Amino acid sequence: MSGVWVFKNGVVRLVENPGAEPLDGNRQGSSSARRKVLVHVPSNEVITCYEDLESKLLSLGWERYYDDPDLLQFHKRSTVHLISLPRDFNKFKSIHMYDIVVKNRNMFEVRD
């Protein structure tokens, strides 16, 4: 992975092409920018909704937390990892995808 690591509002994220994406994360008017997708590697399935993602995570041993009504949260009992996602799938961004990839090595990847 190459790019620039950006720290903002207590979150570190990798900006792969700093010239293509503003540091504040807004993509207004950038219709030519490619949208990233999360892919479940064993099935080669693109994750298009939270129901699909939840079923994949549950099969990997993740448990759903229902504490915060604004977030979808998953915890893996054998680790300290927590995956927090915005409730609205339209707000599911590449930073969330990379978080899932890092915590589930060889099971998911992010593609353009």
Side-chain angles (χ1 to χ4, degrees):
M1 282 190 282
S2 63
V4 176
W5 287 97
V6 177
F7 182 80
K8 183 176 180 186
N9 297 331
V11 176
V12 176
R13 70 183 183 106
L14 177 65
V15 178
E16 290 182 10
N17 187 355
E21 181 178 340
L23 294 179
D24 63 3
N26 293 331
R27 290 181 174 244
Q28 299 168 352
S30 63
S31 60
S32 63
R34 294 181 300 197
R35 179 149 171 87
K36 296 191 179 299
V37 294
L38 182 66
V39 177
H40 181 247
V41 174
S43 66
N44 202 32
E45 178 183 343
V46 175
I47 303 299
T48 58
C49 63
Y50 280 145
E51 291 78 21
D52 294 343
L53 177 60
E54 183 173 8
S55 70
K56 304 294 187 212
L57 290 174
L58 292 176
S59 71
L60 293 171
W62 290 88
E63 299 175 351
R64 173 88 184 271
Y65 276 5
Y66 294 93
D67 295 338
D68 191 331
D70 297 327
L71 297 172
L72 293 179
Q73 293 184 311
F74 299 91
H75 175 260
K76 198 164 191 178
R77 189 174 293 215
S78 61
T79 69
V80 296
H81 296 307
L82 180 69
I83 296 172
S84 294
L85 307 171
R87 171 103 21 217
D88 183 359
F89 190 77
N90 292 325
K91 295 180 181 177
F92 184 60
K93 304 292 182 200
S94 62
I95 189 168
H96 304 109
M97 295 177 196
Y98 284 114
D99 186 39
I100 293 168
V101 168
V102 167
K103 294 172 182 169
N104 295 280
R105 300 227 182 259
N106 303 320
M107 298 306 291
F108 292 95
E109 65 182 32
V110 177
R111 297 182 189 161
D112 286 325

